[in-house]
Amino acid sequence: MKDPIRQKGSFLSIILLILSGELIFLLPYVLARIFRPTFLEVFNLTNLQLGTLFSVYGAVALLSYVYGGAISDRFQPKNLIASSLFFTAIGGLVLAIYPSYFVLQLLYGYWGFTTVFLFWGAMIKAARVWGGDQNQGEAFGLLDGGRGLVAAAMGSLGVLIFSLFLVNDIELSSTIERKNAFRYVILFSSFIVFVNGILVLFFMKSNQKEEIKKTTSTLSNVKAVLKIKSVWLIMLIIISAYVGYKVTDIYSLYASEVMLYNQVEAANIGSLQLYLRPLVCIVIALVAGKKKYIYYIVFGFITMLIGALFFALGLVQAHMNFIFFLSLIVVATGTYAIRALYFSIMQEGHIPLAVTGTAVGVISVVGYTPDIFASPIIGYLLDTYPGILGHQYVFIILVLFSILGLLASLKFSKLVQKLNTEKLDLMKAE
């Protein structure tokens, strides 16, 4: 089989897929992650209120995963992805007027629909088809690594725009001045998302017709997927890893509240840590090759557990900059290594390609529930226990989920061995 990256037009398709895969979340998530202290101030929110916005997003997304995944098994991914980008960008115009908290809740619910229903299953299926039978690790490693690079670049660009439009130094600027500067960041982000939708619509390849099934009902596909044992273990792996990813939302806040950095320095921490994501994912894509990807996921959970323990035990305190950066790197490395591969193990788990979208939808219903519960819990802990104590409680939760993910990964590895043995025996019998 030809290397997918060398096929005509395929390189441009994966680039557009990478851009879309991160820009779609730029407005609802990335800006709040990088600019968390500023975001809380300009929208006059508490950590709990911001967490509730993410929870509203997650609740709508939860309802969208299964049906959105089924749709991706019936229509061309490029059309679904482009539509999703357009609708998401429009929401940015609402965000830029600094609406009331009630309107923000409606907006995040709207984004929960636009970024998932038409988008998520289509993106994962497009990546799996692009990777073929032998390059799943390369496909998903490049996808998530590229997405990380886009997030980091957009984060750095956002910080630059924010700094340029501040009339005074950050310490001397008023809330109104910060709101005016941050509005330019929001509007620029909306513009980039919309332009990406145009590029996808006109330049992404539509060569997956053979993988689109219109004869099987959605309900039948869901029932078939639920009977696959590996689906349930992937759910546990993703929910555990995604809690780790949700914790990355507070890195800039940790830098501000515990390490005593100013808002620009804290935003730079939020942006700089994102560069670890493409670095880790691209390394994973290069070294994983055609080996069993589940072993790298096991390594990821062990790494994430070690890093989380540093924070949970209160070992990272003000002026301990080296320990702070080291611990952040360890946690982020484990988190991003798992994210790079947790959908690539669908191939190892013997999940049929024809029902990829449906499987992604079913898995995501459980796997991404941290969108509902993690942010409010994190927000409550940070508001109720100010300073380092609240952050310690957050990382204790991460320790527990790291253990859960590690156990699920080890169980998945044993299941894969069993499935491969059964398949080999069946081939010999024939």
Side-chain angles (χ1 to χ4, degrees):
M1 181 177 178
K2 291 176 66 178
D3 186 339
I5 204 167
R6 292 189 174 91
Q7 294 181 22
K8 184 179 180 181
S10 188
F11 181 74
L12 179 59
S13 292
I14 196 65
I15 292 297
L16 290 173
L17 193 62
I18 287 169
L19 288 170
S20 304
E22 194 60 33
L23 291 178
I24 193 74
F25 300 110
L26 181 61
L27 289 162
Y29 272 118
V30 177
L31 292 184
R33 177 176 299 124
I34 295 171
F35 291 94
R36 189 169 181 123
T38 302
F39 200 94
L40 293 174
E41 179 187 11
V42 298
F43 285 98
N44 193 28
L45 300 173
T46 65
N47 283 295
L48 179 57
Q49 286 177 318
L50 179 58
T52 301
L53 292 179
F54 291 147
S55 185
V56 171
Y57 172 98
V60 176
L62 193 69
L63 298 174
S64 303
Y65 278 123
V66 173
Y67 292 105
I71 284 177
S72 69
D73 285 330
R74 296 170 179 268
F75 299 98
Q76 287 293 343
K78 62 173 284 185
N79 296 328
L80 299 175
I81 292 171
S83 300
S84 182
L85 288 163
F86 293 144
F87 287 126
T88 300
I90 292 172
L93 301 180
V94 178
L95 187 68
I97 63 174
Y98 295 106
S100 67
Y101 182 61
F102 175 73
V103 175
L104 281 174
Q105 290 176 302
L106 295 178
L107 177 60
Y108 270 77
Y110 167 80
W111 275 333
F113 178 80
T114 66
T115 62
V116 173
F117 185 74
L118 297 177
F119 182 83
W120 188 246
M123 181 190 73
I124 299 300
K125 182 157 190 176
R128 188 175 179 189
V129 171
W130 185 86
D133 295 333
Q134 303 297 323
N135 296 282
Q136 291 296 296
E138 178 184 0
F140 284 98
L142 287 175
L143 175 61
D144 207 63
R147 288 176 62 195
L149 186 59
V150 172
M154 290 303 300
S156 297
L157 191 55
V159 172
L160 176 61
I161 293 172
F162 182 63
S163 301
L164 288 176
F165 283 96
L166 275 177
V167 178
N168 298 306
D169 291 338
I170 185 67
E171 292 86 357
L172 302 176
S173 62
S174 66
T175 299
I176 293 177
E177 290 172 337
R178 293 175 188 179
K179 289 179 71 171
N180 289 334
F182 195 63
R183 180 178 285 112
Y184 286 101
V185 178
I186 296 171
L187 292 174
F188 175 77
S189 300
S190 300
F191 173 74
I192 290 296
V193 174
F194 192 87
V195 169
N196 186 231
I198 296 175
L199 294 176
V200 167
L201 192 61
F202 287 100
F203 297 106
M204 181 176 281
K205 289 187 68 177
S206 298
N207 60 348
Q208 294 140 357
K209 293 181 180 179
E210 69 277 7
E211 306 301 342
I212 298 174
K213 307 295 182 183
K214 299 184 179 180
T215 56
T216 307
S217 70
T218 298
L219 183 59
S220 297
N221 282 348
V222 171
K223 289 180 178 178
V225 165
L226 288 173
K227 292 179 181 178
I228 303 173
K229 293 180 180 179
S230 59
V231 165
W232 297 91
L233 291 172
I234 295 175
M235 287 180 185
L236 294 178
I237 289 171
I238 292 180
I239 193 175
S240 302
Y242 201 59
V243 169
Y245 188 63
K246 297 299 289 184
V247 170
T248 64
D249 289 347
I250 71 168
Y251 286 163
S252 62
L253 192 66
Y254 195 100
S256 175
E257 293 186 348
V258 180
M259 305 305 294
L260 306 179
Y261 293 1
N262 66 40
Q263 287 191 11
V264 171
E265 290 171 338
N268 279 322
I269 291 295
S271 178
L272 289 173
Q273 63 91 16
L274 291 177
Y275 281 101
L276 290 171
R277 181 178 169 191
L279 178 61
V280 171
C281 293
I282 291 172
V283 169
I284 288 291
L286 293 174
V287 303
K290 298 176 179 60
K291 300 175 184 177
K292 292 183 178 180
Y293 307 128
I294 189 62
Y295 294 150
Y296 293 95
I297 291 178
V298 170
F299 164 78
F301 277 118
I302 293 173
T303 305
M304 190 165 74
L305 174 60
I306 293 171
L309 282 171
F310 272 87
F311 285 103
L313 295 174
L315 301 178
V316 185
Q317 301 189 26
H319 309 301
M320 299 174 63
N321 292 323
F322 176 76
I323 299 298
F324 172 57
F325 281 103
L326 177 62
S327 302
L328 186 152
I329 289 171
V330 171
V331 175
T333 297
T335 302
Y336 296 141
I338 302 165
R339 278 181 57 88
L341 294 173
Y342 56 38
F343 275 117
S344 69
I345 59 175
M346 294 175 70
Q347 193 86 357
E348 290 181 48
H350 295 247
I351 298 174
L353 179 60
V355 294
T356 295
T358 303
V360 169
V362 170
I363 290 169
S364 298
V365 166
V366 175
Y368 292 106
T369 50
D371 274 334
I372 297 177
F373 70 80
S375 294
I377 291 174
I378 290 172
Y380 170 79
L381 291 173
L382 294 176
D383 287 338
T384 306
Y385 305 98
I388 191 172
L389 184 59
H391 290 274
Q392 282 183 263
Y393 287 146
V394 171
F395 281 99
I396 287 173
I397 293 174
L398 182 56
V399 167
L400 297 177
F401 275 96
S402 298
I403 294 172
L404 173 63
L406 179 59
L407 294 175
S409 301
L410 293 172
K411 179 69 175 177
F412 185 92
S413 177
K414 292 181 180 179
L415 176 63
V416 169
Q417 292 178 357
K418 180 182 177 182
L419 291 173
N420 288 339
T421 301
E422 291 176 352
K423 182 179 180 180
L424 185 60
D425 291 342
L426 183 61
M427 292 175 61
K428 289 180 179 179
E430 294 176 349

